[in-house]
Amino acid sequence: MSDKKLHEIEVETGVAMKMRDGVELSADVYTPKEDGDYPVLLLRLPYDKTVAEFQSLMHPEWYARHGYIVVSQDVRGRGASGGDFRPFHDETNDGVDTIKACQKLKKANGKIGMYGFSYPGQTQLLPAAKRPKGLAAMVPAFTSDGVYDDWTFKNGALHQAFIQSWSSYLAINEVFRKGKPNEVRGIIQNLTGVCGAHDHLPLTNHPNLPKKYNSFYYEWLKHPTYDAYWKKWQTSNRYGEIDAPALHIGGWYDIFVEGTIRNYLGLRDGAKTEEARKGQKLVVGPWYHMPWTQAMGEMDFGREARNHTDDLMMRWFDHWLRGEDNGIMEDPPVSVFVMGANKWRQADQWPLKATKFTNFYMHSGGRANSLNGDGRLNRKEPGDEPHDIYVHDPHYPVQSMGGRSCCIAALTPMGPQDQRPVETRNDVLVFTTAPLAQDVAVIGPVDAVLYASSTADDTDFTVKLVDVYPDGQAYNVVDAIQRASHRDGSERPTAIKPNEIYEYKFRVGSTAIRFSKGHRIRVEVASSNFPTFDRHLNKFRKKMDGGYYDGFVATQRFFHDSEHPSRIVLPLVPAA
């Protein structure tokens, strides 16, 4: 990038762009001073067009210096833009209209590229399904294929820490727009206060989320199942309508990484044109939501884990918007960072071609409870083994320690963290292999198959994959939750029968890690991971309005015998 000619830039702030219903959205436009025609890079966000996602990306002027007109726009109802902010509702039409407006900008050559991470990933994907003229490429980073599963909910459980902290952050701008500046300080305090009030019940009436500034939060909770409200934003239903090449960027500790991977796979196989299908790339680093850096949580992944995405994006847009033959499409389509080895690995497909999906079975003599127990993990199929027993008390949930959440590590549990403080609890079952005789590379999707019963008619089960170091440190790799009533999907959840054994199959998550020789692989099974996910009150409910007196203790029985072979399925590849 350093040998490229850099342009001098002129900036026009507050450029009004009129939408089809007459509402005007405000943008800052960065344009090269030299005469000529330039492609446009568009970023649409609800977090202030002046900030322009600078937490992880370079400033718009940096991109403009490389010969682009860059437009950073406040979405409807945010910042300096007109209208009311209704998350997701207006992003399809407003995105299409903004692309049309960008084509009319002075010096614009008609080609548009879109970029941005998190919510701005949705402001790319939603209008892309309308195939607006001029949209030539996009970079939907750290985003999902919809906003129900792996955004607001996970297999039926609410992404509580994320949704509550994100809502309270969005509320700050709502105070200004409603002309109540004297209330701003209290709303800012709510942002940090909500983290100390995750225990508040009911979820549907939260003191740190006043309804006049957090209407969207309460709107989401009215739709705890995957209904028509959510389906209209499901990108995975519209892959065949998208014809734009896309560079998908994600992080192994990001809340949206599963959706990021699904977007890549779905568009690779199902985009409208052959050019678009071939024009999909996936890059996943070891990062959490932001910032993207080598050191996160309690882990440093080395210099190769530093954020290189700005240069990558420039190569991407130079190819698709300028027609430069810079070799980016000759690179393998998949590039993932392998933790433990702390280096990048490229491949022609995902999962990797040489992947062997291997069962690791859970065993015990009936007391896998905590690190003090006798839980074992190996490839041997179980025989006649006693089941494990633990209780799930919703008023004493298992604490979240790191993991996949969003968006600020100081406010929500994110990244790698030593799990031993929760592994001392008797309501956490711990299954561990013997020390590994050689390196083991796990790269791809990790699935769980559990057999369990409960005295409740609804409850949760959680699974966590852990890398155990020779000195005992135990770092979380990936984790997930399954609400029992959502075992067959989230459109029409149904209660379970108390004390009946059910099979639960679910995706724990995707990852890329080398478990080094001498390390051990561990699996934790529990019934809560709080506040990453809301804790279940152990009662089947159609609404999310349960209070303190609606919860009761459930006795959980976890089976791992020949008829009920509970296991985790690991994608093993040669440990290059």
Side-chain angles (χ1 to χ4, degrees):
M1 301 298 295
S2 57
D3 1 351
K4 279 187 88 171
K5 174 190 172 184
L6 297 182
H7 296 259
E8 291 187 19
I9 303 301
E10 54 189 5
V11 184
E12 186 177 1
T13 61
V15 176
M17 297 180 173
K18 185 173 288 189
M19 303 294 103
R20 65 189 65 185
D21 60 356
V23 172
E24 290 188 344
L25 306 189
S26 181
D28 294 342
V29 180
Y30 301 77
T31 307
K33 289 183 178 180
E34 293 90 340
D35 291 337
D37 295 331
Y38 302 94
V40 176
L41 299 184
L42 172 61
L43 169 66
R44 303 187 61 252
L45 73 165
Y47 307 124
D48 193 327
K49 59 183 172 58
T50 307
V51 176
E53 298 209 299
F54 191 64
Q55 301 93 335
S56 291
L57 300 176
M58 291 301 293
H59 192 272
E61 186 171 327
W62 184 87
Y63 301 109
R65 286 176 185 169
H66 290 84
Y68 290 88
I69 299 169
V70 182
V71 176
S72 180
Q73 182 192 68
D74 289 326
V75 300
R76 180 182 294 246
R78 300 293 289 178
S81 288
D84 297 322
F85 180 56
R86 302 183 305 156
F88 313 114
H89 283 272
D90 299 294
E91 304 308 348
T92 299
N93 290 340
D94 286 356
V96 171
D97 294 350
T98 299
I99 289 170
K100 289 180 182 178
C102 287
Q103 292 180 305
K104 298 175 183 178
L105 291 172
K106 184 180 178 181
K107 299 185 181 180
N109 71 1
K111 289 189 175 182
I112 312 293
M114 297 186 75
Y115 74 101
F117 71 95
S118 196
Y119 191 97
Q122 296 303 305
T123 65
Q124 298 172 66
L125 292 164
L126 291 171
K130 295 294 184 179
R131 299 194 303 281
K133 182 180 178 181
L135 179 60
M138 56 183 176
V139 184
F142 287 73
T143 199
S144 195
D145 60 340
V147 292
Y148 177 76
D149 212 19
D150 289 318
W151 189 296
T152 310
F153 295 90
K154 177 71 174 180
N155 296 334
L158 178 70
H159 268 296
Q160 183 176 338
F162 163 50
I163 291 301
Q164 290 187 340
S165 61
W166 185 44
S167 297
S168 50
Y169 174 79
L170 291 172
I172 296 172
N173 186 258
E174 295 294 295
V175 176
F176 287 110
R177 296 186 69 88
K178 294 181 185 299
K180 301 289 185 180
N182 59 314
E183 298 184 26
V184 168
R185 178 59 182 159
I187 297 300
I188 292 174
Q189 288 177 321
N190 280 343
L191 176 58
T192 54
V194 75
C195 300
H198 286 314
D199 67 303
H200 179 82
L201 293 174
L203 296 172
T204 51
N205 184 19
H206 201 289
N208 293 87
L209 296 163
K211 293 184 179 180
K212 61 181 177 179
Y213 299 130
N214 296 274
S215 59
F216 28 79
Y217 168 79
Y218 295 100
E219 182 177 305
W220 300 331
L221 294 194
K222 288 180 180 177
H223 299 274
T225 62
Y226 182 54
D227 59 13
Y229 174 84
W230 302 105
K231 290 178 182 178
K232 59 180 175 287
W233 299 311
Q234 191 66 28
T235 303
S236 61
N237 296 337
R238 298 174 174 84
Y239 289 141
E241 302 167 27
I242 295 175
D243 62 2
L247 170 62
H248 307 269
I249 302 174
W252 293 131
Y253 287 98
D254 180 48
I255 189 174
F256 306 126
V257 66
E258 298 306 315
T260 299
I261 294 172
R262 289 195 297 267
N263 280 330
Y264 164 71
L265 294 174
L267 288 169
R268 180 201 65 182
D269 296 338
K272 187 173 181 62
T273 65
E274 183 179 3
E275 181 182 60
R277 292 190 291 273
K278 290 183 177 179
Q280 304 296 321
K281 282 189 178 289
L282 174 68
V283 176
V284 186
W287 311 304
Y288 49 40
H289 197 71
M290 64 180 189
W292 312 335
T293 179
Q294 71 180 62
M296 302 181 312
E298 299 177 3
M299 196 74 70
D300 189 323
F301 292 105
R303 290 184 62 84
E304 285 199 38
R306 291 187 174 189
N307 181 7
H308 67 290
T309 56
D310 297 289
D311 289 343
L312 183 64
M313 286 166 54
M314 278 294 92
R315 288 182 65 207
W316 182 256
F317 287 128
D318 284 347
H319 174 80
W320 289 106
L321 275 64
R322 296 180 182 283
E324 290 187 9
D325 185 12
N326 56 20
I328 192 166
M329 295 312 296
E330 282 70 57
D331 293 340
V334 174
S335 182
V336 296
F337 189 89
V338 182
M339 301 176 291
N342 290 352
K343 61 183 181 181
W344 291 90
R345 182 163 177 167
Q346 294 183 314
D348 292 326
Q349 65 184 56
W350 182 267
L352 277 58
K353 188 175 182 179
T355 303
K356 292 184 178 180
F357 291 95
T358 306
N359 292 324
F360 280 71
Y361 296 94
M362 302 168 207
H363 305 270
S364 82
R367 50 156 300 177
N369 312 78
S370 84
L371 285 175
N372 300 317
D374 62 356
R376 305 180 311 282
L377 184 71
N378 57 44
R379 304 187 198 189
K380 182 180 178 181
E381 294 187 19
D384 184 15
E385 298 181 7
H387 61 264
D388 292 296
I389 307 172
Y390 67 96
V391 297
H392 167 42
D393 182 352
H395 301 302
Y396 183 48
V398 177
Q399 177 187 358
S400 302
M401 303 195 70
R404 292 175 169 180
S405 192
C406 181
C407 298
I408 301 172
L411 300 178
T412 54
M414 291 160 50
Q417 193 170 343
D418 192 346
Q419 300 300 302
R420 284 178 293 181
V422 296
E423 291 173 348
T424 61
R425 298 176 54 130
N426 272 342
D427 54 356
V428 177
L429 305 181
V430 179
F431 303 92
T432 312
T433 67
L436 300 174
Q438 59 187 15
D439 293 346
V440 175
V442 174
I443 302 177
V446 176
D447 292 324
V449 182
L450 308 183
Y451 292 90
S453 69
S454 175
T455 55
D457 67 354
D458 197 10
T459 191
D460 287 339
F461 293 101
T462 67
V463 170
K464 187 183 301 175
L465 179 66
V466 179
D467 182 9
V468 184
Y469 282 59
D471 64 359
Q473 294 181 86
Y475 291 103
N476 52 302
V477 177
V478 66
D479 60 74
I481 193 168
Q482 177 64 59
R483 187 142 294 176
S485 58
H486 290 244
R487 64 198 177 278
D488 296 321
S490 292
E491 292 193 51
R492 286 178 285 275
T494 57
I496 59 174
K497 294 180 180 179
N499 298 312
E500 184 168 312
I501 301 174
Y502 288 84
E503 179 187 65
Y504 299 96
K505 290 183 177 181
F506 57 98
R507 175 66 43 87
V508 183
S510 302
T511 191
I513 184 171
R514 184 187 71 187
F515 290 89
S516 298
K517 178 181 178 180
H519 287 219
R520 291 176 291 163
I521 300 173
R522 175 171 292 164
V523 172
E524 298 174 15
V525 175
S527 286
S528 52
N529 184 350
F530 178 79
T532 295
F533 306 105
D534 70 310
R535 73 248 199 232
H536 205 294
L537 299 178
N538 295 321
K539 182 66 179 177
F540 179 67
R541 308 178 69 87
K542 292 187 176 181
K543 296 182 179 179
M544 302 189 69
D545 56 356
Y548 292 108
Y549 291 101
D550 294 310
F552 66 93
V553 174
T555 299
Q556 321 286 52
R557 291 178 171 83
F558 183 69
F559 298 84
H560 41 79
D561 53 52
S562 57
E563 293 185 11
H564 310 99
S566 291
R567 60 198 181 272
I568 193 165
V569 186
L570 299 182
L572 303 187
V573 301

